[in-house]
Amino acid sequence: MRTDYVHGYTDTETRRLAEQAETLADLLHGDTQYEPGSRVLEAGCGVGAQTVQLVTRSPGIELVAADISEESLAQAKQRVAAEAPDARVEWHHGDLRDLPYADASFDHLFVCFVLEHLPEPVAALRTLRSLLRPGGTITVIEGDHGSALYHPQSPAAQAVIECLTVSQADSGGDALIGRRVQPLLAAAGFRNVATHPRTVYADETVPHLVDGFTRRTFIAMVGSVRERSIAAGLSTPAAWAQGIADLERTAEPGGTFHYTSFKVVGVR
Amino acid sequence: MRTDYVHGYTDTETRRLAEQAETLADLLHGDTQYEPGSRVLEAGCGVGAQTVQLVTRSPGIELVAADISEESLAQAKQRVAAEAPDARVEWHHGDLRDLPYADASFDHLFVCFVLEHLPEPVAALRTLRSLLRPGGTITVIEGDHGSALYHPQSPAAQAVIECLTVSQADSGGDALIGRRVQPLLAAAGFRNVATHPRTVYADETVPHLVDGFTRRTFIAMVGSVRERSIAAGLSTPAAWAQGIADLERTAEPGGTFHYTSFKVVGVR
């Protein structure tokens, strides 16, 4: 009985988590579909969260997925093997600014939550652009932590969000990059650049987004920089606890949370 | 020749302005259509910008448009007479918290850019709710100046935007209300409340939005509080000029501007 109950619960929970992940993935990736047979480069695949989206939404593509972290790449391989076993993926371990592929050898580039980590995003985009055939497309998706709006407002919550932004800047990245992806792509030589803001809004009427986005995506992301923020003197244990508690308050009934990602498509 | 040229230019300009207004109106109002014969209350019609949208998008409705400003109401009448001469509109001069209509006498309520000006929005919403028949809908649209993201970033620009927020707070309003419309409607007793963020994003690839939103809507709105902000010691002429110049920079090539309004629908 007990085991059955636990299994039943786990199945329900697993289904619920998959559904909420799908809702968020639809928002970002629902309109990205590549023609069968096309050769696509995912530059910076990380642990494969988006790789699975690419190969399931465009099942006929030949995907090259590259990442600089061997550990991430191993996780991505596992994830794709489990979730999309029929996908044709060539895995490459290396820096996306120095990939061993011929000029104009890809039909499409896909770069999701990657530019935010690069000190020189335009230079990286120029290098990637050379790998794209003329007329091929690039799709870039980036968040922007400046778009985090929530109720109730809280200076303590804003302070922990700013720790995330400072932490990323200290690593040479830019957590506020979403708003400037269009100028970056234009500067790298892409044309017909079109920006599509994708706004997630969560309140008690959409509990799967409260849980899937506010709690498990945004607050979890903020939580990941707790130690380094306190070590760097940007916060204290008490201030951090207050900031997180206030963010969690936005996920309770009566609270709201808003965040915009920028999906930007350009053409070589 | 010269006269023809000038007229031709003016016609083109008029058409362009109408088109950009329509693009923004579609974003906010495109999915608001009321069934013919339904009785609709626009609470706080102002100078009639949304009134025209309502009667042209739902041509068969019987609209009551109310506003507390006699001067605004006169402009709204003129605008509707010019742009939708066949519309059936009953105009009412008075406070939306004290309207002379029977309980449950409206099928739909429409409240656009109004709650932001009220010191007690929940009380106002409760009063309005009593005018709505059970099962009837309320549609609320509000901006949130916290959603203003732009490139290049600028502390001077942020300072003038904050003048707008402070100025509205000093008048008893809330320029950051968009994020909390759902809890307000829930607190006033509406059910099935659903929030739809409507995000405007403008850069050089969409010049009609740069002109129609960044320049003629947002920067113009900020500009309207210059005198009172300087008089109140919130800014100086030099700081103001710098802030506006930096906002105008976001409307130049290479600049971007993002703003979210919240469209929220509930049911009595």
Side-chain angles (χ1 to χ4, degrees):
Chain A
M1 264 310 268
R2 171 85 190 156
T3 307
D4 281 358
Y5 174 78
V6 170
H7 281 166
Y9 178 78
T10 303
D11 286 354
T12 306
E13 177 70 1
T14 303
R15 205 175 318 122
R16 195 183 61 76
L17 289 175
E19 280 168 6
Q20 76 192 16
E22 201 55 29
T23 305
L24 291 164
D26 276 345
L27 180 76
L28 293 182
H29 307 300
D31 53 353
T32 296
Q33 273 168 357
Y34 299 121
E35 60 280 14
S38 58
R39 194 163 155 78
V40 179
L41 170 65
E42 183 183 11
C45 65
V47 297
Q50 277 74 44
T51 318
V52 168
Q53 295 295 327
L54 286 176
V55 295
T56 53
R57 289 170 193 270
S58 300
I61 62 173
E62 292 176 25
L63 182 68
V64 173
D67 204 87
I68 198 167
S69 158
E70 207 152 2
E71 194 186 327
S72 293
L73 211 57
Q75 289 185 55
K77 283 181 199 178
Q78 276 192 342
R79 184 181 295 221
V80 168
E83 297 182 33
D86 297 333
R88 285 180 292 181
V89 182
E90 178 185 325
W91 302 95
H92 175 80
H93 174 224
D95 191 315
L96 61 85
R97 291 159 289 197
D98 185 27
L99 292 173
Y101 299 99
D103 271 19
S105 60
F106 290 96
D107 298 301
H108 303 288
L109 303 181
F110 184 83
V111 188
C112 184
F113 304 135
V114 173
L115 298 184
E116 60 175 317
H117 301 295
L118 302 182
E120 295 184 24
V122 173
L125 286 167
R126 281 208 190 98
T127 305
L128 287 171
R129 181 172 170 278
S130 69
L131 302 179
L132 191 61
R133 69 163 167 80
T137 72
I138 184 169
T139 298
V140 173
I141 302 177
E142 293 292 343
D144 189 315
H145 296 350
S147 73
L149 291 194
Y150 44 87
H151 176 73
Q153 294 181 53
S154 152
Q158 200 56 35
V160 295
I161 294 172
E162 279 165 21
C163 284
L164 193 59
T165 302
V166 170
S167 176
Q168 196 148 338
D170 286 348
S171 310
D174 180 6
L176 311 179
I177 199 171
R179 69 190 77 181
R180 65 188 182 99
V181 174
Q182 181 271 332
L184 293 176
L185 286 187
F190 291 96
R191 58 184 175 80
N192 295 357
V193 178
T195 300
H196 311 278
R198 295 292 155 90
T199 300
V200 185
Y201 168 84
D203 66 33
E204 63 179 317
T205 69
V206 280
H208 64 292
L209 292 176
V210 171
D211 204 44
F213 188 78
T214 311
R215 287 204 184 94
R216 291 175 191 256
T217 303
F218 193 81
I219 298 177
M221 181 166 60
V222 173
S224 71
V225 298
R226 177 183 183 279
E227 281 67 32
R228 84 186 74 161
S229 299
I230 292 171
L234 297 169
S235 188
T236 64
W240 192 270
Q242 184 62 55
I244 295 294
D246 286 359
L247 280 180
E248 282 170 349
R249 174 69 191 82
T250 73
E252 297 298 318
T256 71
F257 201 90
H258 162 288
Y259 190 92
T260 301
S261 294
F262 293 79
K263 180 166 187 172
V264 189
V265 179
V267 176
R268 172 170 183 183
Chain B
M1 264 311 265
R2 173 81 192 158
T3 307
D4 280 358
Y5 172 76
V6 170
H7 280 166
Y9 177 77
T10 303
D11 286 354
T12 306
E13 177 69 3
T14 303
R15 203 174 318 120
R16 193 183 63 75
L17 289 175
E19 280 167 7
Q20 77 191 14
E22 201 54 29
T23 305
L24 290 164
D26 276 346
L27 180 76
L28 293 182
H29 307 298
D31 54 354
T32 294
Q33 275 169 358
Y34 299 120
E35 59 280 15
S38 58
R39 194 163 156 78
V40 180
L41 171 64
E42 183 183 11
C45 66
V47 298
Q50 278 75 43
T51 317
V52 168
Q53 295 295 327
L54 286 176
V55 294
T56 52
R57 290 169 193 269
S58 299
I61 61 173
E62 290 175 28
L63 183 67
V64 173
D67 205 87
I68 198 168
S69 158
E70 208 153 1
E71 194 186 328
S72 293
L73 211 56
Q75 288 185 54
K77 283 183 201 179
Q78 276 194 342
R79 185 182 295 218
V80 169
E83 296 181 34
D86 296 333
R88 284 181 293 180
V89 182
E90 178 186 326
W91 301 95
H92 176 78
H93 174 226
D95 191 315
L96 61 85
R97 291 158 290 195
D98 185 26
L99 292 173
Y101 299 99
D103 270 19
S105 60
F106 290 96
D107 298 300
H108 303 289
L109 302 181
F110 184 83
V111 188
C112 184
F113 305 134
V114 172
L115 298 183
E116 61 175 317
H117 301 296
L118 303 182
E120 294 184 27
V122 173
L125 286 168
R126 279 207 192 98
T127 304
L128 288 172
R129 182 174 171 277
S130 68
L131 301 180
L132 191 61
R133 70 164 167 80
T137 72
I138 184 169
T139 298
V140 172
I141 302 176
E142 293 292 343
D144 190 316
H145 296 351
S147 72
L149 292 191
Y150 44 88
H151 176 73
Q153 293 181 55
S154 152
Q158 201 57 37
V160 294
I161 294 172
E162 279 164 21
C163 284
L164 194 57
T165 303
V166 170
S167 175
Q168 197 148 340
D170 286 347
S171 311
D174 180 5
L176 311 179
I177 199 171
R179 70 190 76 181
R180 65 186 182 100
V181 175
Q182 182 271 330
L184 293 176
L185 287 186
F190 291 97
R191 58 187 176 79
N192 295 356
V193 179
T195 300
H196 312 277
R198 296 293 155 89
T199 300
V200 185
Y201 168 83
D203 66 30
E204 62 179 317
T205 69
V206 279
H208 64 294
L209 291 177
V210 171
D211 204 44
F213 188 78
T214 312
R215 287 203 184 95
R216 290 174 192 257
T217 302
F218 193 82
I219 299 177
M221 181 166 58
V222 174
S224 71
V225 298
R226 177 184 185 278
E227 280 67 32
R228 83 186 74 163
S229 299
I230 293 171
L234 297 169
S235 187
T236 63
W240 191 271
Q242 185 63 54
I244 295 294
D246 286 0
L247 280 180
E248 282 170 348
R249 173 70 191 81
T250 73
E252 297 297 318
T256 71
F257 200 90
H258 162 288
Y259 189 92
T260 301
S261 295
F262 293 79
K263 180 168 187 170
V264 189
V265 179
V267 176
R268 173 170 183 183

